[in-house]
Amino acid sequence: MSDYILVIDAGTTSTRAMLFARDGGCHAATAADITQHYPQPGHVEHDANEIWQRSLGVAQAMVERAGGPDRIAAIGIANQRETIVFWDRDTGEPLAPAIVWQDRRTAAMCRAWREAGEEPGVQARTGLLLDPYFSGTKIAWALEHWPQLRAAGSRLAIGTVESWLVWKLSHGEHITDATNASRTLLMALGSGSWDDGLIDLFGVPRAALPRIVDNAGHLADTTLFGGRIAICGMAGDQQAATIGQACLTPGQSKATFGTGAFVLANCGHTPPTSRHRLLATVAWQLGGRRTYALEGSVFVAGSLIQWLRDSLQLIASADETEVLARSVPDNGGVYLVPALAGIGAPWWEPAARAAIIGLSFATGRAHLVRAALEAMAHQSHDLKTAFAADGADWATLRIDGGMVANDWMAQDLADMLGLPVERPAFTETTALGAAMLAGVGCGWFATLDEAAAMRGSVETFTPALDENVRQARLDGWRIAMRQVIEPLR
């Protein structure tokens, strides 16, 4: 009897493996850290072999915990999106560092493409903007600066993290799922295929790219765990979380507060168009039919708390933030704009830098920590405004990710957004969404709607803040944002 779905959730700072039962219960989980390398300012890299070895290690531990490969019905994979890996088809070894989604090294290239008038056409075809965030710009830079990639010729393979993991698991199956492909700047959103014009624009060798497949089905097999296990579900982490939050009906929205913060709103089967600098993306593809979403991407969320802990040493652990935020009546006039990796939606300023505004002798550690948490709600409000202007306003917001265990932050989101915020009892919805996809792919469930029973119970936070206080905070945030953004324009 195959009792479990094994999920590999290859994130930015760690890779995890989890065992899910058919009712959505997480039977077991383990994790291993992933090292981030910063060779120079603006550059963020991973060792692709480390991603593979640590993902393999945690997955092996879960297979053993399950009682062997026969107890695993299927494997689901979720991954950090936009991070790009380069490897040798013959040896299966990386040819260069993996360039991480947070990396900003292509800012000048993106500016040159925009000035050449390329962005409107790119956005019309891909739903994306010309920004260092996306994989296509990273590939263009790597091919120009790392000669070993061009020298590899037909041996060169390029893929995002799920593509790399499947290659290693399956001994050479080169595929990518539609959600990850839609984040590369190389896939036409309407057709779901690689676009020749975009491939030419970024100078990418088409033969190096993987085949685009559905998010669920019998996608590949692995025999690395002592028996054959099918890989039956894959999705980029934010799309997986959208599925894990059961945002299966147009208009339903979720926000994941992990390393960054990402809001997706289900837009149905027609590719949406944003006029307010949001992204159009594939939410999932099943049976060749795509469901789309609008997305707002914030680059710094949980990584801000990590920075407070590791670099500034203002806190010893993330758990302290809730106590400190509650220890002061307000932010003391302090606003923190967390542009540690540029600013994402709806501003899209890669050159922006973080700022702390409103300091005085009365400012204490608690005010700085509270301002950091408040920045999550402030950035979310900016996104809500853009979504509403694009005709996709939120009625409720379903939240997940490591940060939302903080009750104070969850309530602050509801207060500042002025709407109910739902938090599921099980907040690792990225992994849950991958499990739901794999469950559909292996036949546990006929549809995602049926698989949504795995989601479980939720807790709702309702707005309770005085409107005058809310508006005063938003006014302060707008002033802080202007001080960061206006010098760049």
Side-chain angles (χ1 to χ4, degrees), residues 320-380:
E320 286 184 59
T321 60
E322 180 168 357
V323 174
L324 286 166
R326 292 185 188 279
S327 72
V328 289
D330 53 41
N331 60 21
V334 177
Y335 290 85
L336 197 164
V337 180
L340 295 165
I343 291 275
W347 307 99
W348 295 106
E349 282 290 354
R353 291 296 175 261
I356 302 172
I357 295 166
L359 298 175
S360 72
F361 282 122
T363 302
R365 181 169 68 113
H367 295 107
L368 291 172
V369 171
R370 179 163 174 151
L373 291 180
E374 287 184 350
M376 301 304 110
H378 296 151
Q379 292 179 111
S380 297

Side-chain angles (χ1 to χ4, degrees), residues 143-482:
L143 290 167
E144 181 179 329
H145 290 84
W146 289 335
Q148 70 270 29
L149 301 185
R150 292 285 186 192
S154 62
R155 293 182 290 108
L156 176 64
I158 300 172
T160 41
V161 169
E162 92 297 345
S163 185
W164 166 241
L165 292 178
V166 170
W167 177 283
K168 298 294 281 188
L169 286 165
S170 67
H171 299 292
E173 188 71 37
H174 197 196
I175 59 175
T176 185
D177 71 86
T179 65
N180 278 290
S182 76
R183 310 297 295 186
T184 61
L185 281 172
L186 301 174
M187 191 196 90
L189 200 61
S191 69
S193 303
W194 299 126
D195 183 282
D196 288 334
L198 296 167
I199 285 172
D200 290 343
L201 175 65
F202 296 107
V204 178
R206 188 186 186 103
L209 295 174
R211 177 169 54 93
I212 301 173
V213 300
D214 282 351
N215 291 98
H218 192 149
L219 307 176
D221 292 292
T222 183
T223 56
L224 292 182
F225 302 108
R228 186 174 299 276
I229 307 175
I231 300 167
C232 291
M234 297 194 301
D237 52 10
Q238 301 311 317
Q239 284 91 338
T242 304
I243 294 165
Q245 284 278 37
C247 293
L248 306 179
T249 301
Q252 293 178 323
S253 305
K254 73 89 198 176
T256 297
F257 292 88
T259 302
F262 304 88
V263 179
L264 274 77
N266 186 322
C267 292
H269 297 299
T270 301
T273 299
S274 175
R275 293 177 176 82
H276 298 86
R277 300 187 69 76
L278 300 174
L279 307 175
T281 194
V282 174
W284 60 83
Q285 176 178 302
L286 297 175
R289 189 183 193 198
R290 285 170 295 285
T291 296
Y292 296 95
L294 274 179
E295 176 173 334
S297 306
V298 170
F299 298 149
V300 176
S303 55
L304 177 64
I305 305 306
Q306 185 179 33
W307 178 72
L308 293 180
R309 183 193 68 196
D310 298 342
S311 296
L312 300 191
Q313 299 182 348
L314 286 181
I315 55 174
S317 69
D319 294 342
E320 286 184 59
T321 60
E322 180 168 357
V323 174
L324 286 166
R326 292 185 188 279
S327 72
V328 289
D330 53 41
N331 60 21
V334 177
Y335 290 85
L336 197 164
V337 180
L340 295 165
I343 291 275
W347 307 99
W348 295 106
E349 282 290 354
R353 291 296 175 261
I356 302 172
I357 295 166
L359 298 175
S360 72
F361 282 122
T363 302
R365 181 169 68 113
H367 295 107
L368 291 172
V369 171
R370 179 163 174 151
L373 291 180
E374 287 184 350
M376 301 304 110
H378 296 151
Q379 292 179 111
S380 297
H381 188 274
D382 287 347
L383 290 179
K384 181 180 186 299
T385 301
F387 273 84
D390 274 336
D393 200 5
W394 314 334
T396 62
L397 186 66
R398 300 176 178 184
I399 62 171
D400 55 71
M403 291 191 78
V404 305
N406 184 321
D407 285 351
W408 185 91
M409 194 193 96
Q411 182 61 50
D412 194 54
L413 281 166
D415 288 341
M416 296 309 295
L417 296 174
L419 52 77
V421 167
E422 293 181 2
R423 183 179 65 187
F426 182 74
T427 60
E428 297 296 340
T429 54
T430 295
L432 180 62
M436 289 165 62
L437 285 168
V440 171
C442 75
W444 270 14
F445 308 106
T447 64
L448 284 177
D449 287 315
E450 188 177 308
M454 296 179 76
R455 183 178 180 227
S457 61
V458 300
E459 180 179 4
T460 300
F461 296 83
T462 56
L465 188 66
D466 180 84
E467 182 61 21
N468 291 329
V469 175
R470 178 174 176 269
Q471 286 301 325
R473 260 185 58 184
L474 291 174
D475 289 344
W477 171 252
R478 293 184 188 106
I479 292 169
M481 283 298 301
R482 281 200 297 271

Side-chain angles (χ1 to χ4, degrees), residues 119-142:
E119 186 164 77
V122 168
Q123 184 178 16
R125 281 181 281 178
T126 67
L128 309 178
L129 302 170
L130 281 169
D131 188 85
Y133 180 30
F134 302 109
S135 312
T137 74
K138 304 178 196 302
I139 298 170
W141 184 96

